[in-house]
Amino acid sequence: MAHDLSALTPEYVAFWGEYLMPTLTTLRTNGTPHVVPVGVTYDAGQRIARIITRKDSTKVKNILAARADGATVAVCQVDRGRWATLEGIARVRTDAEAVADAVNRYATRYGRTPEPNPDRVMIEIAVTRAMGRA
């Protein structure tokens, strides 16, 4: 079930704030999917999903190897009969301010602040489609 990004229900947006472990799907250079669990935050007003990770992770390598304007990705989470998927274009951000903001958002959603990591980057997804039943 597709949703209008400009009119997401409060329940749908709230679902992205619950303590759940979504998955991120990126595409390898051979076109096969790479699916891994991630912590993700979603800002419905900005239509941006954020993931913090290490700069040498496979997901980052897949995104960097994609088109110059970013990689098509999806994040999905499921809780019994409720589910939600966000699709969009991912880019890797390395600037300290953006990474710190993503860490703060992660801490709010997951109730803990990750240890400092000089190799941390942020995957920023410009969301273009929302689906689900939440």
Side-chain angles (χ1 to χ4, degrees):
M1 165 191 268
H3 295 276
D4 179 349
L5 286 172
S6 63
L8 294 174
T9 66
E11 294 81 12
Y12 188 89
V13 174
F15 187 53
W16 282 102
E18 293 181 22
Y19 193 109
L20 297 167
M21 293 306 296
T23 59
L24 170 69
T25 302
T26 60
L27 296 177
R28 297 180 182 97
T29 55
N30 68 4
T32 60
H34 172 69
V35 183
V36 293
V38 293
V40 63
T41 62
Y42 180 52
D43 182 328
Q46 294 183 344
R47 297 183 186 173
I48 293 176
R50 295 171 178 87
I51 298 165
I52 54 174
T53 189
R54 295 178 336 275
K55 67 182 177 185
D56 63 347
S57 68
T58 299
K59 55 190 162 287
V60 166
K61 291 175 185 174
N62 290 344
I63 292 167
L64 293 175
R67 304 182 323 252
D69 62 339
T72 301
V73 302
V75 287
C76 181
Q77 63 184 24
V78 177
D79 182 39
R80 300 177 191 215
R82 300 180 307 150
W83 65 276
T85 299
L86 300 171
E87 295 177 355
I89 303 300
R91 293 174 187 83
V92 178
R93 301 274 308 266
T94 59
D95 54 293
E97 187 175 317
V99 173
D101 178 56
V103 168
N104 289 335
R105 291 170 186 269
Y106 177 97
T108 298
R109 179 173 184 183
Y110 294 103
R112 70 172 195 84
T113 301
E115 294 293 322
N117 182 344
D119 292 330
R120 182 171 289 132
V121 297
M122 186 256 288
I123 296 170
E124 181 177 87
I125 304 167
V127 175
T128 57
R129 185 173 185 197
M131 299 174 291
R133 182 172 303 172

